[in-house]
Amino acid sequence: QVQLVESGGGLVQAGGSLRLSCAASGRTFRSSAMGWFRQAPGKEREFVTTINWSGGTTRYADSVKGRFTISRDNAKNTVYLQMNSLRPEDTAVYYCASLSSYSDSDPSRARSWGQGTQVTVSS
């Protein structure tokens, strides 16, 4: 089981940038697909992006494509989410998750979750 801790959230103006980090522990991290999901108040948790074990394959939700970039550093056991051109509708708690496959966009298929980090984008 991979244990996950997110950091890097905060308050930013529309058009700004943030970089989230997800520090992982556990022997299976380097062989695990990873993903970021988010949950806005009153809404269900939704898929943002995933990355395969090597970092060579990624997927993005249409709403963030071209603005967000997922990456990983297996030597540091860390996954990153670079968020540019942020919009008020990106406001949510962002969660890191370990996955069986990078093709898993359904949150119910996540194997483990971090505690989440709040991202607030003001207009």
Side-chain angles (χ1 to χ4, degrees), residues 5-11 18-22 36-39 81 83 90-96 114-120:
V5 178
E6 302 97 333
S7 61
L11 173 63
L18 280 176
R19 188 194 196 202
L20 306 183
S21 298
C22 173
W36 288 95
F37 295 76
R38 66 187 181 186
Q39 188 166 16
L81 182 63
M83 305 186 294
D90 294 318
T91 295
V93 177
Y94 283 71
Y95 296 91
C96 178
Q115 84 288 351
T117 185
Q118 177 71 46
V119 171
T120 303

Side-chain angles (χ1 to χ4, degrees), residues 1-3 24-32 77:
Q1 185 97 1
V2 177
Q3 290 79 45
S25 60
R27 293 185 297 175
T28 60
F29 170 78
R30 297 182 183 187
S31 62
S32 296
N77 277 20

Side-chain angles (χ1 to χ4, degrees), residues 1 5 9 14 18 25 35 42 46 50 53 56 59 64 68 76 82 88 92-93 112-113 123:
Q1 185 97 1
V5 178
L18 280 176
S25 60
E46 66 175 9
T50 58
W53 68 273
R59 293 181 67 215
V64 306
F68 290 12
K76 296 182 178 180
Q82 178 67 44
V93 177
S112 61
W113 293 97
S123 57

Side-chain angles (χ1 to χ4, degrees), residues 101-120:
S101 169
Y102 79 93
S103 62
D104 286 341
S105 58
D106 183 345
S108 68
R109 296 183 60 82
R111 296 189 295 187
S112 61
W113 293 97
Q115 84 288 351
T117 185
Q118 177 71 46
V119 171
T120 303

Side-chain angles (χ1 to χ4, degrees), residues 13 17 28-29 43 51 59-60 79 81 98 100 106 121:
Q13 289 188 328
S17 298
T28 60
F29 170 78
K43 295 188 176 181
I51 190 168
R59 293 181 67 215
Y60 294 92
V79 177
L81 182 63
S98 65
S100 297
D106 183 345
V121 184

